């Protein structure tokens, strides 16, 4: 299906809402001179369960599809394993399938055409002879410190890094060539990998690409990106309305503070952009008790009202709960109607097995000896391991050579 936008409008939408674009002339040349759809790829390592932070790159992918681009989504199963082995190798196949289901459902929820969307599994080509040879070529010209620097903001850093983590950015650079794209899309945390690709792909005979970079959106817990490893910062795409409300109530949203506010950032980068893509959603509405609702068609006005405390944290959170649940509703409905998706979910993220608690039976010792000790205590006698006795009643007691004799002799008068 061809886009209804003019070439100029397509270019504007491709470049919209981004923190930075490297080599933008490549985009202009493809659309204006070659007169064909721009081919873009976005990669995601198939590790933890996708959360609502994924709505941020999904909004850009939705805009790219609306602009007429051919979008390839790399389900980077091997990358997920290489990044400090975040994804167990026996689960990556199922996690890739789970990611594909979630991504399609999210994009359908914002109402974009998926006919130009393609999914590619990393292992489908990254194990091939030619790719491996090119990887060797890059490894042969890349210093360890350069590889570490390239992946510094993406690959988990340790004092003693594995080779897999060092190879990660090299493979991401090569993916541009083997996926046959004009541009790569990612967050600004990917910038060092993008510049590594621009500097090194020509050294092994390949061209440079354009790079589209999203801003990093603060999470709901603090001024950091939403993270699967931080439960307070993470809302799963399959969380129900009550869970969404509970988690958003805990979100950091200081009055009058706009900068670093994760709630405002999510409204700006997800809700407003979803509204712009979907004609059924015209505005961001904030309901108020016994007052007219606040209706926003621009994020600038929302930020202005928040800074002035006209829009309070409580009102903003309640409005976001409503709008986010509206986005999540069709995704949850699709999941609940699909036994296949539910089965994939269990295979990809099996419940953790909790070892049963074994009740320790306390060894109370020989009951006969316990009785003797009790009788001794009653008589004011303390028997020592070497056989002698102490205490006020020691003179009255002689510990015999047998348990029976001992018990008999411990029957002293009060």
């Amino acid at each position: 299906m061809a886009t209804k936008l003019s070439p100029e409008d397509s270019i504007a939408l491709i470049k919209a809402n981004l923190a930075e674009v490297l080599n933008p002339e490549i985009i202009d040349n493809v659309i204006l001179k070659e007169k064909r759809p721009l081919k873009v790829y976005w990669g995601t390592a198939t590790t933890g369960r996708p959360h609502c932070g994924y709505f941020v790159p999904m909004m850009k992918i939705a805009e790219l599809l609306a602009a007429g681009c051919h979008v390839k989504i790399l389900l980077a199963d091997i990358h997920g394993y290489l990044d400090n082995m975040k994804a167990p190798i026996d689960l990556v196949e199922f996690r890739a399938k789970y990611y594909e289901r979630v991504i399609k459902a999210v994009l359908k929820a914002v109402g974009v055409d998926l006919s130009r969307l393609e999914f590619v599994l990393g292992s489908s080509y990254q194990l091939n002879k030619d790719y491996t040879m090119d990887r060797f070529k890059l490894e042969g010209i890349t210093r360890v410190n350069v590889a570490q620097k390239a992946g510094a903001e993406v690959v988990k850093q340790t004092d003693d890094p594995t080779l897999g983590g060092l190879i990660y950015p090299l493979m991401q650079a090569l993916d541009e060539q083997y996926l046959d794209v004009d541009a790569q899309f990612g967050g600004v945390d990917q910038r060092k990998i993008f510049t590594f690709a621009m500097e090194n792909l020509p050294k092994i005979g390949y061209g440079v690409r354009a790079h589209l970079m999203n801003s990093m959106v603060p999470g709901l817990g603090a001024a950091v990106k939403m993270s699967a490893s931080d439960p307070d910062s993470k809302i799963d795409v399959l969380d129900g309305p009550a869970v969404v409300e509970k988690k958003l109530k805990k979100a950091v949203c200081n009055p009058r503070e706009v900068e670093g506010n994760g709630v405002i950032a999510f409204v700006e980068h997800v809700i407003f952009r979803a509204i712009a893509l979907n004609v059924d959603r015209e505005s961001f509405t904030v309901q108020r008790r016994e007052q007219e609702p606040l209706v926003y068609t621009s994020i600038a006005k929302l930020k202005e009202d928040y800074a002035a405390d006209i829009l309070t944290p409580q009102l903003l959170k309640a409005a976001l709960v409503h709008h986010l649940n509206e986005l999540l509703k069709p995704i949850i409905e699709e999941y609940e109607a699909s036994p296949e998706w539910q089965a994939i979910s269990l295979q990809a993220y099996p419940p953790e097995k909790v070892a049963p608690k074994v009740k320790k039976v306390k060894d109370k010792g020989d009951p006969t000896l316990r009785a003797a000790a009790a009788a001794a205590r009653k008589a004011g006698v303390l028997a020592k391991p070497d056989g002698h006795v102490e205490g006020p009643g020691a003179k009255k007691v002689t510990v015999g050579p047998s348990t029976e004799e001992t018990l008999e002799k411990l029957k002293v008068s009060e």
Side-chain angles (χ1 to χ4, degrees):
M1 184 184 296
T3 179
K4 297 177 182 179
L5 300 178
S6 68
E8 291 76 16
D9 287 341
S10 289
I11 291 172
L13 185 54
I14 290 167
K15 297 178 182 178
N17 303 309
L18 292 169
E20 188 177 4
V21 179
L22 302 178
N23 297 328
E25 66 282 357
I26 293 174
I27 300 169
D28 301 345
N29 184 65
V30 167
I31 294 175
L32 297 175
K33 294 184 179 179
E34 297 183 24
K35 299 185 184 299
R36 62 173 177 83
L38 185 76
K39 293 181 288 184
V40 186
Y41 109 77
W42 174 74
T44 179
T46 51
T47 53
R49 290 173 68 95
H51 49 73
C52 284
Y54 273 72
F55 270 107
V56 178
M58 287 303 104
M59 289 305 109
K60 187 64 228 175
I61 288 171
E63 291 169 354
L64 293 171
L65 290 169
C69 298
H70 181 93
V71 178
K72 296 183 180 183
I73 293 185
L74 172 63
L75 299 171
D77 51 347
I78 293 181
H79 283 79
Y81 178 70
L82 290 176
D83 185 1
N84 211 38
M85 293 182 286
K86 283 182 180 177
I89 198 68
D90 56 326
L91 298 181
V92 290
E93 176 188 353
F94 301 113
R95 291 188 178 183
K97 291 178 181 177
Y98 185 85
Y99 268 64
E100 181 173 344
R101 288 273 187 165
V102 169
I103 290 167
K104 284 181 176 177
V106 168
L107 290 171
K108 283 191 285 186
V110 296
V112 293
D113 175 28
L114 304 186
S115 62
R116 292 182 300 277
L117 181 66
E118 180 183 351
F119 288 88
V120 183
L121 196 63
S123 56
S124 68
Y125 68 90
Q126 290 167 346
L127 302 176
N128 293 348
K129 178 182 176 181
D130 290 344
Y131 185 95
T132 302
M133 195 65 233
D134 279 338
R135 200 193 76 203
F136 288 157
K137 290 177 184 177
L138 273 183
E139 290 169 9
I141 61 173
T142 304
R143 299 289 180 186
V144 169
N145 66 325
V146 172
Q148 282 183 302
K149 181 181 176 182
E153 295 185 51
V154 178
V155 181
K156 186 174 181 179
Q157 300 296 299
T158 63
D159 293 334
D160 187 17
T162 63
L163 284 174
L166 298 177
I167 293 168
Y168 187 111
L170 281 63
M171 291 177 65
Q172 186 170 334
L174 271 181
D175 291 337
E176 295 182 352
Q177 176 66 28
Y178 280 81
L179 288 169
D180 184 30
V181 295
D182 308 299
Q184 183 180 174
F185 163 59
V188 291
D189 59 337
Q190 307 268 334
R191 196 182 195 283
K192 291 176 182 177
I193 294 180
F194 294 163
T195 55
F196 174 87
M198 290 164 54
E199 292 168 2
N200 289 280
L201 285 184
K203 294 178 183 178
I204 60 171
Y206 298 132
V208 297
R209 271 73 181 180
H211 294 94
L212 315 173
M213 283 173 275
N214 251 354
S215 299
M216 300 307 293
V217 175
L220 299 173
V224 293
K225 64 181 180 179
M226 191 178 290
S227 167
S229 62
D230 180 0
D232 293 329
S233 172
K234 170 184 170 282
I235 298 174
D236 195 280
V237 295
L238 297 176
D239 279 343
V243 177
V244 170
E245 182 176 9
K246 180 181 177 182
K247 289 183 178 180
L248 278 176
K249 277 184 177 179
K250 296 179 181 178
V252 175
C253 190
N254 296 324
R256 299 177 181 267
E257 290 184 14
V258 173
E259 292 302 315
N261 188 316
V263 176
I264 291 179
F266 195 86
V267 171
E268 177 179 3
H269 292 280
V270 176
I271 305 300
F272 266 88
R273 288 163 71 175
I275 290 169
L277 286 164
N278 194 325
V279 293
D280 294 332
R281 300 186 181 98
E282 297 179 354
S283 60
F284 183 77
T285 303
V286 180
Q287 299 294 339
R288 298 187 291 177
R289 286 183 182 180
E290 301 176 358
Q291 287 181 285
E292 288 295 313
L294 297 170
V295 180
Y296 296 101
T297 56
S298 83
I299 190 65
K301 177 60 177 170
L302 183 147
K303 289 180 178 179
E304 180 185 320
D305 281 1
Y306 192 83
D309 210 30
I310 296 169
L311 175 61
T312 65
Q314 292 77 17
L315 289 174
L316 178 60
K317 286 183 181 182
L320 178 54
V321 167
H322 170 74
H323 285 275
L324 181 53
N325 281 328
E326 286 294 302
L327 271 180
L328 296 178
K329 184 179 178 182
I331 302 171
I332 295 170
E333 289 176 348
E334 183 178 342
Y335 175 79
E336 291 177 344
S338 174
E340 183 183 356
W341 187 356
Q342 293 168 32
I344 290 170
S345 177
L346 285 174
Q347 291 170 310
Y349 304 99
E352 291 185 11
K353 293 181 180 179
V354 179
K357 290 185 178 179
V358 179
K359 187 176 181 180
K360 289 186 177 180
V361 179
K362 188 175 181 180
D363 184 4
K364 297 181 180 179
D366 188 322
T368 306
L369 293 177
R370 289 205 314 274
R377 287 194 299 272
K378 186 175 180 182
V381 175
L382 177 63
K384 293 294 186 176
D386 60 4
H388 80 278
V389 294
E390 296 176 356
K395 291 182 180 180
K396 299 179 183 180
V397 179
T398 301
V399 179
S402 68
T403 302
E404 289 76 17
E405 188 177 342
T406 300
L407 286 171
E408 187 63 32
K409 291 183 176 180
L410 284 171
K411 293 178 181 178
V412 295
S413 59
E414 295 296 332

